[in-house]
Amino acid sequence: MGAAYFYHLTRNPLETTLPLLLGKALGAGWRCVVVGRSEQRLSALDQALWNGRNTDFLAHGLAGTPNDAAHPILLSDSHVTSNNAACAMCIDGADITPELVKSYERTCILFDGNDDTALQIARGQWKMLTDAGCAAQYWSEESGTWQMKAKKE
Protein backbone atom coordinates (compact mmCIF):
# COMPACT_ATOMS: atom_id res chain seq x y z
CA MET A 1 0.00 0.00 0.00
CA GLY A 2 1.41 3.37 -1.00
CA ALA A 3 1.72 6.65 0.81
CA ALA A 4 1.22 10.28 -0.14
CA TYR A 5 4.06 12.74 0.43
CA PHE A 6 3.10 16.41 0.26
CA TYR A 7 5.86 18.86 -0.68
CA HIS A 8 5.12 22.50 0.20
CA LEU A 9 7.34 24.54 -2.13
CA THR A 10 8.22 27.93 -0.67
CA ARG A 11 11.88 28.51 -1.54
CA ASN A 12 12.50 26.66 -4.79
CA PRO A 13 10.25 26.39 -7.85
CA LEU A 14 8.86 23.13 -9.17
CA GLU A 15 11.51 23.12 -11.91
CA THR A 16 14.19 22.81 -9.20
CA THR A 17 12.46 20.41 -6.81
CA LEU A 18 10.89 18.00 -9.30
CA PRO A 19 14.20 16.77 -10.81
CA LEU A 20 15.56 16.12 -7.31
CA LEU A 21 12.55 14.01 -6.35
CA LEU A 22 12.54 12.21 -9.68
CA GLY A 23 16.22 11.36 -9.21
CA LYS A 24 15.49 9.92 -5.75
CA ALA A 25 12.56 7.90 -7.09
CA LEU A 26 14.64 6.46 -9.92
CA GLY A 27 17.38 5.72 -7.38
CA ALA A 28 14.83 3.66 -5.43
CA GLY A 29 14.20 1.66 -8.61
CA TRP A 30 10.80 3.21 -9.35
CA ARG A 31 9.49 4.27 -12.73
CA CYS A 32 7.54 7.53 -12.52
CA VAL A 33 4.63 9.41 -13.96
CA VAL A 34 4.44 13.20 -13.56
CA VAL A 35 0.76 14.11 -13.65
CA GLY A 36 -0.24 17.67 -14.45
CA ARG A 37 -3.33 19.52 -15.60
CA SER A 38 -1.98 21.30 -18.66
CA GLU A 39 -0.22 20.04 -21.77
CA GLN A 40 1.49 23.44 -22.03
CA ARG A 41 2.92 23.12 -18.50
CA LEU A 42 4.03 19.52 -19.14
CA SER A 43 5.73 20.61 -22.37
CA ALA A 44 7.57 23.34 -20.46
CA LEU A 45 8.68 20.80 -17.85
CA ASP A 46 9.79 18.48 -20.65
CA GLN A 47 12.05 21.23 -21.98
CA ALA A 48 13.31 22.09 -18.49
CA LEU A 49 14.24 18.44 -17.87
CA TRP A 50 16.04 18.16 -21.23
CA ASN A 51 17.92 21.41 -20.61
CA GLY A 52 18.94 20.57 -17.03
CA ARG A 53 22.52 20.19 -15.93
CA ASN A 54 24.28 17.18 -17.49
CA THR A 55 24.78 15.56 -14.09
CA ASP A 56 21.03 15.76 -13.51
CA PHE A 57 19.91 14.17 -16.79
CA LEU A 58 16.64 12.31 -16.38
CA ALA A 59 15.46 10.19 -19.31
CA HIS A 60 11.79 10.95 -19.86
CA GLY A 61 9.09 11.56 -22.42
CA LEU A 62 5.68 13.09 -22.93
CA ALA A 63 2.91 10.49 -22.74
CA GLY A 64 1.02 9.56 -25.86
CA THR A 65 3.76 8.12 -28.05
CA PRO A 66 4.37 4.51 -29.09
CA ASN A 67 7.46 4.52 -26.83
CA ASP A 68 5.67 5.31 -23.54
CA ALA A 69 6.52 1.92 -22.02
CA ALA A 70 10.26 2.51 -22.56
CA HIS A 71 10.42 5.77 -20.59
CA PRO A 72 11.38 5.59 -16.92
CA ILE A 73 9.57 8.94 -16.48
CA LEU A 74 6.38 9.93 -18.30
CA LEU A 75 4.88 13.41 -18.25
CA SER A 76 1.11 13.10 -18.58
CA ASP A 77 -2.21 14.81 -17.97
CA SER A 78 -3.58 11.54 -16.52
CA HIS A 79 -2.43 8.65 -14.38
CA VAL A 80 -1.12 6.53 -17.24
CA THR A 81 0.55 3.30 -16.30
CA SER A 82 1.97 2.22 -19.65
CA ASN A 83 5.46 2.57 -18.19
CA ASN A 84 4.49 0.63 -15.03
CA ALA A 85 5.02 3.69 -12.83
CA ALA A 86 5.52 2.91 -9.15
CA CYS A 87 5.71 6.59 -8.23
CA ALA A 88 3.40 9.44 -9.20
CA MET A 89 4.41 13.09 -8.96
CA CYS A 90 1.24 15.20 -8.96
CA ILE A 91 1.71 18.86 -9.83
CA ASP A 92 -0.51 21.91 -10.25
CA GLY A 93 -3.40 20.36 -8.31
CA ALA A 94 -3.60 17.21 -10.45
CA ASP A 95 -6.36 14.84 -9.43
CA ILE A 96 -5.54 12.06 -6.99
CA THR A 97 -7.73 9.51 -5.23
CA PRO A 98 -7.12 7.11 -2.34
CA GLU A 99 -7.28 4.22 -4.82
CA LEU A 100 -4.56 5.78 -6.95
CA VAL A 101 -2.35 6.42 -3.90
CA LYS A 102 -2.73 2.77 -2.93
CA SER A 103 -1.82 1.66 -6.46
CA TYR A 104 1.61 3.35 -6.33
CA GLU A 105 4.57 2.77 -4.02
CA ARG A 106 4.62 6.52 -3.45
CA THR A 107 2.61 9.53 -4.54
CA CYS A 108 4.28 12.91 -4.29
CA ILE A 109 2.05 15.98 -4.31
CA LEU A 110 4.04 19.13 -5.04
CA PHE A 111 2.36 22.48 -4.51
CA ASP A 112 3.36 26.13 -4.60
CA GLY A 113 3.23 27.59 -1.11
CA ASN A 114 2.98 31.10 -2.55
CA ASP A 115 -0.29 30.33 -4.33
CA ASP A 116 -3.43 30.41 -2.14
CA THR A 117 -5.40 28.25 -4.57
CA ALA A 118 -2.66 25.61 -4.62
CA LEU A 119 -2.59 25.63 -0.80
CA GLN A 120 -6.34 25.09 -0.59
CA ILE A 121 -6.23 22.24 -3.11
CA ALA A 122 -3.38 20.54 -1.22
CA ARG A 123 -5.20 20.91 2.11
CA GLY A 124 -8.30 19.35 0.58
CA GLN A 125 -6.24 16.50 -0.86
CA TRP A 126 -4.53 15.89 2.51
CA LYS A 127 -7.90 15.70 4.28
CA MET A 128 -9.51 13.50 1.64
CA LEU A 129 -6.59 11.06 1.51
CA THR A 130 -5.98 10.80 5.25
CA ASP A 131 -9.72 10.49 5.97
CA ALA A 132 -9.72 7.54 3.54
CA GLY A 133 -6.91 5.87 5.51
CA CYS A 134 -3.95 6.71 3.28
CA ALA A 135 -0.62 7.16 5.02
CA ALA A 136 0.68 10.67 4.41
CA GLN A 137 3.59 12.93 5.21
CA TYR A 138 3.80 16.70 4.91
CA TRP A 139 7.22 18.18 4.08
CA SER A 140 8.14 21.87 4.08
CA GLU A 141 11.26 23.68 2.89
CA GLU A 142 10.33 26.89 4.72
CA SER A 143 13.34 26.66 7.07
CA GLY A 144 15.77 26.29 4.17
CA THR A 145 15.99 22.50 4.36
CA TRP A 146 13.28 19.91 3.87
CA GLN A 147 11.65 18.95 7.16
CA MET A 148 8.73 16.65 7.85
CA LYS A 149 6.06 18.70 9.62
CA ALA A 150 3.21 16.19 9.87
CA LYS A 151 2.64 12.47 9.48
CA LYS A 152 -0.48 10.28 9.39
CA GLU A 153 -0.23 6.50 9.49
Side-chain angles (χ1 to χ4, degrees), residues 8-66:
H8 187 165
L9 308 178
T10 54
R11 292 182 174 259
N12 290 302
L14 178 69
E15 293 78 7
T16 300
T17 304
L18 182 62
L20 298 173
L21 292 175
L22 287 169
K24 288 181 183 285
L26 292 177
W30 298 333
R31 296 171 77 79
C32 302
V33 59
V34 177
V35 183
R37 291 188 168 275
S38 150
E39 286 185 30
Q40 182 179 4
R41 172 78 151 152
L42 293 169
S43 292
L45 283 174
D46 176 48
Q47 289 303 309
L49 289 172
W50 283 122
N51 294 327
R53 297 187 321 248
N54 290 338
T55 58
D56 296 338
F57 176 74
L58 298 167
H60 69 281
L62 288 167
T65 71

Side-chain angles (χ1 to χ4, degrees), residues 22 36 38 97 110-111 120:
L22 287 169
S38 150
T97 65
L110 293 82
F111 61 99
Q120 293 307 314

